Amino acid sequence: MNKIVFRFIFLFLPTFAFAQKDVYLFSYFVDNGQDGLHFAYSKDGLSWETLSEGKSFLKPEIGKDKLMRDPCIIQSPNGTFQMVWTSGWHDQIIGYASSKDLVHWSEQQAIPVMEHEPTAKNSWAPEVFYDDKKKNYLIFWATTIPGRHGDVADSEREKGLNHRIYYTKTTDFKTFSKIEMFFNPDFSAIDATILKDGKAYYMFIKNENPNPPQKNIRIVKSKKASLFPTNQVSEPITGKYWAEGPTSIRIGEYVYVYFDKYIDHKYGAIRSKDMKTWEDISDKVSFPKGLRHGTVFKVSEAVFEGLLKR
C-alpha cells in the first residue's frame, strides 16, 4: 500500500512542483514619457514594486515628440502581448508594438487613427481590448475635433479640448476598420478602459468637464464590448479628489480599479465585490514614486521570471 501511495505522489509531483503562479504587472510611464516603458509588479494587488530598478524596458521611437505615455498592454489568446500608447501631445497617430515576452519588442509602428481629420487636436490614452465574441481587437482613444461637439463650460481653460472616445477594429494590427465614434456622452470624456467580468463588460471613464469641475471616474455596463449606452453612465465612483487614467482587474473576490490622483502626485484605488458599491482603499495601496497612467494585467510566473533576468 505504501509503495502505491509513493508511486502516485511521484507521478504527480512534477505537476505540483512546476505549476505556474500568476503575477500582476503594471505598465506605466514617468515624467513626460520620454523615457519609455516601465513595469511594476505585485503578488496581491496592493503592494507594488518596480522592476529593473525602475529602468526603461523600451524607448519611444515614433511621433512628433517621441513619447511613450499611457502604455496599455494586453495578452492575446495566442500569448502575444499587444501594446498601444500616446506618442505625443498633439499627434494624430498612436504607437503600437508587440512582444512575446515583454523584453524583446517588434518594430514600433504608427497607427494613423486621426489623420483623416485634419483639425483633430490629439489622440490620447489609447487602449486595446480583445473582444472574445467578435474575435477581434478594439483600439479606442480620446480625441478633440473642434466644433464637433457641444461647448464645455470654461473650455478655454482646457485649451479648447472637448474629448470624445473614438475606435477602430483589427484582427492583425495591419489592417484597420473605418474610424468611428465609440462613446459620445454629454460630457468631455477621456481615459476609457474596459473590463470583462463574468458575462458583462464594464467601461471605466473619466468625466473631464471643468465647470463645475468633475475630474472623476464613472462606470458604464454593457452586454457588448463594442457598444456602451451613453445614458447609463453612473455617478462618480471615485472620491472628492481629481482622478484619471483608470485601469481595472479582478483579484479574488474584488474588482480593483487603480487611478492616478494627479493633483496629489500619487496613485489611488477602489474595489468592489458587486460592481455597485465601491470601497476607497487608496490608503491600502503603495506604488513606486513617479508612476503615471498605465495598465494592470496578469502574467505567468515564467514571463515574470524572464523580466527579472532582463
Side-chain angles (χ1 to χ4, degrees):
M1 183 67 178
N2 290 340
K3 290 183 179 180
I4 295 174
V5 172
F6 177 79
R7 187 177 181 184
F8 175 84
I9 294 174
F10 179 79
L11 287 174
F12 284 89
L13 182 60
T15 302
F16 298 135
F18 296 100
Q20 292 186 352
K21 297 179 181 179
D22 292 322
V23 180
Y24 305 104
L25 288 187
F26 202 103
S27 59
Y28 66 97
F29 75 99
V30 296
D31 299 323
N32 194 34
Q34 68 276 6
D35 190 41
L37 175 65
H38 294 256
F39 287 119
Y41 73 95
S42 176
K43 296 295 181 72
D44 61 4
L46 297 174
S47 178
W48 295 84
E49 303 290 340
T50 58
L51 269 173
S52 191
E53 298 179 339
K55 297 177 183 177
S56 173
F57 279 77
L58 183 66
K59 300 286 187 178
E61 299 175 352
I62 62 169
K64 297 174 184 176
D65 304 320
K66 288 186 170 54
L67 303 179
M68 189 171 282
R69 297 173 63 89
D70 321 316
C72 172
I73 299 177
I74 66 167
Q75 189 169 21
S76 298
N78 68 4
T80 301
F81 293 95
Q82 315 286 356
M83 177 172 68
V84 294
W85 67 89
T86 304
S87 58
W89 286 100
H90 307 291
D91 283 355
Q92 295 176 336
I93 66 167
I94 61 172
Y96 166 75
S98 64
S99 174
K100 294 291 186 181
D101 57 9
L102 297 175
V103 176
H104 306 92
W105 290 87
S106 67
E107 180 180 357
Q108 296 177 32
Q109 300 178 37
I111 304 177
V113 292
M114 298 307 292
E115 287 188 347
H116 64 291
E117 292 280 2
T119 63
K121 285 180 171 287
N122 56 356
S123 301
W124 283 359
E127 295 248 341
V128 56
F129 180 84
Y130 183 70
D131 186 341
D132 54 353
K133 291 183 179 179
K134 298 290 186 179
K135 308 301 181 186
N136 61 17
Y137 298 90
L138 307 177
I139 303 175
F140 47 98
W141 61 92
T143 288
T144 287
I145 302 176
R148 191 64 57 89
H149 308 290
D151 291 336
V152 174
D154 285 350
S155 183
E156 187 57 36
R157 192 171 67 187
E158 302 287 311
K159 298 180 181 179
L161 298 177
N162 186 3
H163 314 272
R164 295 301 186 276
I165 308 300
Y166 293 81
Y167 84 129
T168 184
K169 294 172 284 188
T170 185
T171 57
D172 56 9
F173 294 92
K174 296 177 182 178
T175 58
F176 302 89
S177 67
K178 179 182 177 181
I179 307 302
E180 297 181 74
M181 180 71 69
F182 188 42
F183 195 66
N184 184 18
D186 60 357
F187 55 86
S188 179
I190 65 171
D191 297 350
T193 186
I194 296 174
L195 171 72
K196 184 181 182 184
D197 194 55
K199 296 182 178 180
Y201 299 87
Y202 298 88
M203 175 189 287
F204 300 94
I205 192 163
K206 180 188 181 185
N207 182 328
E208 180 73 332
N209 277 7
N211 189 20
Q214 295 297 320
K215 313 296 185 179
N216 46 49
I217 309 301
R218 313 290 182 105
I219 183 174
V220 193
K221 183 179 179 181
S222 176
K223 295 180 179 179
K224 297 181 179 179
S226 58
L227 183 63
F228 286 85
T230 57
N231 62 348
Q232 295 181 25
V233 181
S234 76
E235 292 298 308
I237 60 174
T238 49
K240 293 183 178 181
Y241 43 75
W242 288 15
E244 67 181 13
T247 183
S248 61
I249 192 170
R250 173 170 285 282
I251 302 177
E253 61 182 337
Y254 290 103
V255 165
Y256 288 77
V257 181
Y258 307 101
F259 47 86
D260 193 343
K261 298 173 78 170
Y262 57 105
I263 298 297
D264 300 328
H265 302 290
K266 59 184 179 181
Y267 246 71
I270 54 177
R271 66 184 181 186
S272 177
K273 292 182 179 180
D274 59 8
M275 304 300 284
K276 297 177 182 178
T277 303
W278 294 90
E279 174 192 7
D280 196 311
I281 57 166
S282 297
D283 60 343
K284 293 182 174 64
V285 296
S286 61
F287 281 91
K289 185 178 180 180
L291 180 146
R292 303 287 307 279
H293 186 157
T295 300
V296 60
F297 59 107
K298 187 169 60 176
V299 298
S300 68
E301 197 167 54
V303 169
F304 179 65
E305 290 295 331
L307 286 169
L308 289 178
K309 292 177 182 178
R310 181 265 194 193

